[in-house]
Amino acid sequence: MGKNIIIIGGGIVGLSSAYFLQKEGHQVRVIDKSDITSGASFVNAGYITPSHIIPMASPGKITQGIKWMFNSASPFYMKPRWDMDFFKWSWYFYRSSTVQKVEKAIPVIKDINLLSRDLFEDIKASGDLGDFQLERKGLLMLYKTDKAYEHEMEVARKADHLGLEVKELNQTDLALIEPNVQIDAKGAIHYECDGHTTPTEIMPKMLAHLRNVGVAIHTNEEVLDIGIKGDRLSEVTTDRGQYKSDEIVLAAGSWSGELSKKLNLKLPLQPGKGYRINVARPTGISVPAILMESSMAVTPMQGFTRFAGTMEFSGINSKIRKERVQAIAYGARNFYPELEIYQEEIDAAQTGMRPVSPDGLPYIGKSKTYSNLTFATGHAMMGWSLGPATGKLVAEIIGGMRTAMDISAFEPSRRF
């Protein structure tokens, strides 16, 4: 018999959870404090990335962050501030950034990304959302220096060993694969295993489908409290009403940590802000790329090319730092010298906050404190890529089914 389920959070993870839970016959209600037209699920690079096997918490990352701390235009910016939650998270991040922990995480990240890539294809084949962009042109890791090349080749060797499709490209190869744009790079590592989409196309289609099949979508409604009865959560109170449920899914992205505090639960999480610029005119770019020395992403989407990047730890806020947006424009010009991003395109930049766990792995699984609470958050830069896989796993967890993969690495109460 189907359950009455409340999902807190209407980003790609929350909506994917609703999608798969509804298919299992559950009555689903999604509650989001926004109108679900902006945020991380709308401004991301749209990548489906089995190649992203290295978690953000890796050796040298904290040192790099400290080095860049006083440069607000740097790709990895940690705003100096007195914040005990941030201090604890930083310490956990440091403890997670070891070679041993990274090596342990690599196969798990690969598996959940491949699962999600297959599910994106299944969703498109189902026709539930109608047609949408889903391409497998791979991802170019463009580099200018030998140092960047050597760094990425270490990752490429690991990816190849795991069976992912990857090859090296020289400048001649690049000109063949991208004939309509000049690229100033020594070469690229081409991860042919990757795909890309247009998030601003998929999100509205997913919302429309969910409404059509009976999922209740509550927008502009903020969760104020969650009732507790023994080892269970009884109801969700918002600024508009109160809702009882059999199960609750916490998929509130960067707000998940604050909501966990209402339940006396510790969920180490920090919002990592990213920015995007859209160029809605021909750029000649046809293959997604990461510009390594500029630490940014480029994606040819439906009707525009997106330039996205940066990781900014400055707490929960929607402030757009102009110097960070300008750095994206400069970074793009550095690799595509004939490309000019206009000031009005820079001024129209948007931002979104990605929920980052200390070890770079998501929190997916049942709470050990409350028997009817399931976590689905903390995906960092892979939230879009891992949305469908997380939704599928959530449906399996709540349905008491065997999960499609081992999820022990995503245990919400894991120690750091």
Side-chain angles (χ1 to χ4, degrees):
M1 192 168 108
K3 297 179 179 179
N4 183 354
I5 299 171
I6 291 177
I7 299 172
I8 303 174
I12 185 60
V13 172
L15 296 190
S16 294
S17 298
Y19 178 85
F20 287 104
L21 284 165
Q22 187 276 329
K23 283 188 175 297
E24 293 298 326
H26 302 294
Q27 293 297 312
V28 184
R29 186 186 306 274
V30 177
I31 302 174
D32 195 281
K33 66 190 298 183
S34 77
D35 60 1
I36 317 185
T37 61
S38 61
S41 291
F42 288 83
V43 305
N44 64 83
Y47 289 164
I48 302 167
T49 50
S51 68
H52 281 29
I53 54 176
I54 307 297
M56 197 175 74
S58 55
K61 204 69 176 181
I62 281 287
T63 302
Q64 187 180 56
I66 291 173
K67 189 185 300 182
W68 282 340
M69 185 175 284
F70 299 99
N71 177 9
S72 62
S74 65
F76 187 78
Y77 176 56
M78 304 167 77
K79 181 183 178 182
R81 64 191 191 278
W82 185 264
D83 182 334
M84 287 306 298
D85 286 341
F86 181 62
F87 294 154
K88 289 177 183 177
W89 179 91
S90 299
W91 172 241
Y92 297 151
F93 186 99
Y94 171 76
R95 291 181 58 174
S96 299
S97 301
T98 66
V99 172
Q100 294 82 0
K101 290 184 177 180
V102 168
E103 290 296 325
K104 190 175 179 181
I106 285 173
V108 180
I109 296 173
K110 182 211 70 169
D111 287 348
I112 191 171
N113 266 290
L114 287 177
L115 172 63
S116 213
R117 188 185 70 181
D118 291 345
L119 290 169
F120 266 110
E121 292 172 355
D122 289 348
I123 291 170
K124 182 164 185 175
S126 73
D128 288 341
L129 310 192
D131 191 30
F132 58 85
Q133 183 195 32
L134 178 61
E135 298 189 63
R136 281 278 294 278
K137 292 185 175 180
L139 177 66
L140 298 173
M141 300 294 292
L142 295 172
Y143 61 86
K144 287 176 170 287
T145 62
D146 291 340
K147 182 179 179 181
Y149 164 75
E150 290 162 6
H151 171 82
E152 193 56 38
M153 273 308 298
E154 285 188 29
V155 180
R157 291 186 193 100
K158 294 178 189 294
D160 181 65
H161 180 71
L162 291 170
L164 299 175
E165 303 90 351
V166 56
K167 67 165 60 172
E168 290 186 63
L169 303 180
N170 58 29
Q171 289 179 327
T172 302
D173 298 326
L174 275 178
L176 289 173
I177 201 171
E178 280 285 43
N180 299 316
V181 63
Q182 183 184 346
I183 299 176
D184 184 3
K186 276 192 171 184
I189 308 299
H190 188 196
Y191 291 99
E192 298 174 314
C193 51
D194 287 10
H196 70 284
T197 60
T198 300
T200 51
E201 176 186 40
I202 291 177
M203 285 294 288
K205 290 185 177 224
M206 179 68 88
L207 278 167
H209 167 72
L210 292 175
R211 288 187 171 109
N212 287 338
V213 295
V215 173
I217 307 289
H218 297 248
T219 57
N220 298 308
E221 190 163 348
E222 184 175 1
V223 173
L224 302 177
D225 198 15
I226 303 173
I228 301 171
K229 285 189 178 179
D231 70 340
R232 293 182 61 81
L233 303 180
S234 53
E235 73 277 323
V236 173
T237 301
T238 73
D239 54 0
R240 293 191 182 183
Q242 191 174 70
Y243 310 96
K244 294 191 178 297
S245 65
D246 300 316
E247 299 276 348
I248 292 176
V249 179
L250 183 54
S254 293
W255 288 267
S256 299
E258 293 302 310
L259 287 170
S260 294
K261 288 179 181 179
K262 295 180 182 292
L263 302 172
N264 299 312
L265 298 175
K266 293 180 180 178
L267 192 74
L269 200 68
Q270 283 294 312
K273 190 191 295 183
Y275 297 81
R276 70 92 176 121
I277 299 171
N278 288 345
V279 174
R281 51 191 165 82
T283 61
I285 298 169
S286 64
V287 182
I290 288 182
L291 317 182
M292 292 192 64
E293 286 84 355
S294 296
S295 296
M296 57 175 286
V298 182
T299 316
M301 296 186 178
Q302 288 285 64
F304 57 92
T305 304
R306 174 164 290 179
F307 301 86
T310 83
M311 180 62 81
E312 174 187 327
F313 292 102
S314 58
I316 292 182
N317 68 82
S318 56
K319 179 182 178 181
I320 293 180
R321 293 178 177 270
K322 293 182 179 180
E323 69 272 22
R324 299 186 68 72
V325 179
Q326 193 66 59
I328 292 174
Y330 287 148
R333 184 70 179 270
N334 196 26
F335 278 81
Y336 303 104
E338 294 180 342
L339 172 73
E340 182 178 359
I341 297 180
Y342 301 149
Q343 188 60 47
E344 56 264 34
E345 293 163 337
I346 294 172
D347 292 341
Q350 291 187 1
T351 186
M353 289 176 288
R354 299 156 291 195
V356 185
S357 70
D359 60 2
L361 296 177
Y363 297 115
I364 307 172
K366 280 280 190 181
S367 165
K368 290 190 179 302
T369 305
Y370 304 109
S371 60
N372 62 339
L373 173 63
T374 300
F375 290 93
T377 188
H379 295 74
M381 293 181 292
M382 293 185 288
W384 183 262
S385 185
L386 301 184
T390 304
K392 177 71 169 173
L393 292 169
V394 165
E396 292 169 342
I397 291 165
I398 290 178
M401 296 177 276
R402 181 177 179 178
T403 53
M405 63 173 288
D406 181 4
I407 61 171
S408 56
F410 310 137
E411 166 59 48
S413 60
R414 62 186 181 270
R415 297 176 68 87
F416 298 103

